[in-house]
Amino acid sequence: MLRKITGNELALKYSLQGKNKNKAAFDQLALYKVICRAVQTSDVAGNMTEKGIEKVVSRWFSGASDRHGGRAKRQKPAPQQDAAIEINRHSGDETDVADD
């Protein structure tokens, strides 16, 4: 539901309570209350508690920076480091430049 309503661009600007990284508080929006009511009255997830909804919504926003290749970009080593590691491997030195 959140993916269809908010999208990742909006998710990057909010957290559930607005405590992290100067993000706005999603739980203060009327949209959050609408989502909670929709979930609680649905046939699929109608037995979900408010705490359960908070947990799911919070996880959705905290994962925003990992979506659409964000995690892969952060895990990719810098090109200079790749070259230095490759040079060390060819010279027979097994130590990584990052260990220095």
Side-chain angles (χ1 to χ4, degrees):
M1 180 187 279
L2 286 168
R3 181 176 357 134
K4 291 181 179 183
I5 293 173
T6 63
N8 205 54
E9 192 172 318
L10 181 79
L12 289 167
K13 297 175 183 177
Y14 283 87
S15 67
L16 180 63
Q17 297 178 334
K19 293 182 180 179
N20 300 331
K21 300 178 184 177
N22 299 322
K23 293 184 177 184
F26 189 74
D27 66 354
Q28 299 301 306
L29 300 177
L31 179 58
Y32 177 69
K33 291 162 186 58
V34 170
I35 289 171
C36 288
R37 183 76 177 135
V39 168
Q40 291 173 331
T41 58
S42 76
D43 292 335
V44 177
N47 63 345
M48 187 174 262
T49 65
E50 192 168 334
K51 280 287 185 195
I53 295 169
E54 285 177 2
K55 190 174 186 178
V56 170
V57 171
S58 180
R59 191 173 301 142
W60 165 257
F61 285 112
S62 67
S65 62
D66 288 343
R67 286 186 213 110
H68 304 293
R71 177 179 286 180
K73 288 176 189 174
R74 288 192 313 276
Q75 290 179 341
K76 193 179 227 181
Q80 310 88 336
Q81 187 176 356
D82 282 345
I85 291 169
E86 193 62 32
I87 291 168
N88 282 344
R89 285 189 187 134
H90 288 295
S91 68
D93 185 1
E94 294 296 320
T95 60
D96 191 287
V97 174
D99 294 337
D100 293 339

